[in-house]
Amino acid sequence: ALQRNPLLSHISGDLPVNADMAITNKVTAATTVWQGTSGLLGLLGTPGYMGAGIGVAILDSGIASHTALDTRVAAHVNLVSDEPGVTGDPFGHGTHIAGIVGGNTSAAKYVTPAFAGGTAPAVKLIDVRVLGRTGSGRTSDVIAGIDWAIAHRRDNNYNIKVINLSLGHPVTEPSVTDPLCQAVERAVGAAHISQVAAN
């Protein structure tokens, strides 16, 4: 009856929405990467992989101690110019992002069986704090964080291959002259580091 009503120009379904990290892992094919593939027609497949040996620099508000991250936070660096000496994650966003990237299932063990871990639950996490206790910061601090990750990508077996930037700033100039965009380009070009921006 609604479809035949000439007063309606469009109808959209009320589709189900799931608050479930397992959905993210399926959509990004993380679960397939974890399991590996079997060979077809006698050919070798690929082994399962969960990110072991890879370092992910989380440029955010810090990473607090959490059972879902166990002992995989390899370094804590604070580059917030207005808050020297602050440790942990007073705002909480960086810890949340670290869990999405590499959390294990322990935190949800007694809450839900649906959470199968972060996208790469065996990665090494490098906490590069560039956002202050209010979740905001300066572009110069983020650039300093990117440069720190480039310079220290091989230190202490960090093996930084990915920088996660779940942050942004207003667009006031073209990307070719934006210093933050230039820093990202420098990381990709000079250091072959992958950039991730997931809000």
Side-chain angles (χ1 to χ4, degrees):
L2 286 173
Q3 287 177 326
R4 291 189 300 272
N5 187 331
L7 300 175
L8 298 177
S9 60
H10 180 79
I11 298 174
S12 293
D14 191 7
L15 303 174
V17 176
N18 297 293
D20 190 347
M21 186 62 193
I23 299 299
T24 301
N25 287 334
K26 288 176 187 172
V27 169
T28 60
T31 53
T32 301
V33 174
W34 297 345
Q35 296 166 2
T37 60
S38 59
L40 298 173
L41 304 173
L43 300 174
L44 293 175
T46 58
Y49 185 66
M50 299 180 90
I54 299 295
V56 178
I58 307 291
L59 275 65
D60 213 291
S61 60
I63 300 177
S65 295
H66 198 286
T67 57
L69 304 175
D70 47 58
T71 59
R72 288 175 300 108
V73 181
H76 295 278
V77 178
N78 180 6
L79 297 173
V80 179
S81 55
D82 296 342
E83 296 178 9
V86 175
T87 60
D89 183 8
F91 187 67
H93 189 260
T95 306
H96 167 74
I97 295 299
I100 290 172
V101 171
N104 62 41
T105 60
S106 65
K109 184 175 175 182
Y110 300 108
V111 180
T112 176
F115 180 69
T119 301
V123 295
K124 192 178 306 182
L125 299 163
I126 295 86
D127 170 14
V128 183
R129 187 169 183 268
V130 297
L131 299 178
R133 61 181 74 246
T134 63
S136 62
R138 299 176 188 271
T139 298
S140 57
D141 292 343
V142 178
I143 292 169
I146 292 170
D147 289 339
W148 186 94
I150 293 169
H152 297 275
R153 66 188 182 276
R154 292 190 184 103
D155 292 3
N156 301 315
N157 295 315
Y158 295 156
N159 196 28
I160 298 173
K161 298 286 187 185
V162 177
I163 296 175
N164 187 93
L165 299 164
S166 294
L167 48 83
H169 69 167
V171 178
T172 60
E173 60 186 307
S175 63
V176 295
T177 59
D178 185 313
L180 184 55
C181 293
Q182 290 175 342
V184 169
E185 186 175 354
R186 189 167 53 251
V188 172
H192 306 290
I193 293 174
S194 298
Q195 305 293 318
V196 178
N199 290 316

